[in-house]
């Protein structure tokens, strides 16, 4: 999607994924596929409903730890390295996104 926008002459277009993010793995997949940012609305609202500001803080800390763990398992030290990975695993299937068929 990002490459298609650039090839169409739109230059750098930030891609924001809002919806469907339930875990750090979802964030890593989105970043790998070109997302600039992700929305965490539902996670934050659930945490807020359960324990207010403390719940939100705890939710973000758990998400940060899971994100760090996922990056370590991928052998990445930064999200920039995640963007450069060549393969994504989703539901047990490995695939390489073919941007030429957009």
């Amino acid at each position: 999607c990002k490459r298609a926008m650039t090839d169409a002459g739109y230059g750098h277009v930030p891609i924001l994924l809002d919806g469907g993010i339930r875990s750090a793995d979802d964030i890593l997949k989105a970043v790998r596929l070109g997302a600039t940012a992700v929305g965490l609305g539902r996670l934050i609202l659930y945490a807020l409903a359960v324990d207010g500001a403390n719940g939100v803080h705890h939710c973000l800390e758990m998400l940060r730890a899971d994100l760090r763990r996922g990056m370590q398992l991928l052998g990445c030290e930064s999200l920039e390295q995640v963007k450069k990975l060549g393969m994504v695993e989703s539901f047990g299937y490995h695939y390489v996104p073919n941007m030429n068929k957009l």
Side-chain angles (χ1 to χ4, degrees):
C1 183
K2 194 169 198 170
R3 184 179 295 167
M5 296 294 283
T6 303
D7 291 347
Y10 291 103
H12 175 70
V13 177
I15 297 175
L16 310 175
L17 177 67
D18 188 17
I21 300 296
R22 303 287 185 268
S23 67
D25 291 342
D26 293 334
I27 295 171
L28 290 172
K29 289 175 191 175
V31 168
R32 169 55 193 103
L33 293 172
T36 305
V38 297
L40 301 173
R42 184 175 298 191
L43 290 175
I44 300 304
L45 288 176
Y46 286 166
L48 184 64
V50 169
D51 195 21
N54 290 334
V56 173
H57 177 76
H58 183 69
C59 175
L60 292 174
E61 288 300 317
M62 286 177 30
L63 196 58
R64 181 180 294 132
D66 288 345
L67 189 60
R68 188 176 303 122
R69 185 177 308 113
M71 289 172 53
Q72 288 172 342
L73 290 171
L74 291 170
C76 298
E77 295 180 6
S78 69
L79 289 177
E80 289 301 319
Q81 289 178 341
V82 172
K83 290 179 184 180
K84 296 176 184 175
L85 292 176
M87 188 184 322
V88 176
E89 182 177 345
S90 180
F91 304 109
Y93 298 99
H94 296 283
Y95 64 94
V96 177
N98 186 350
M99 300 304 234
N100 296 326
K101 292 187 177 183
L102 291 177

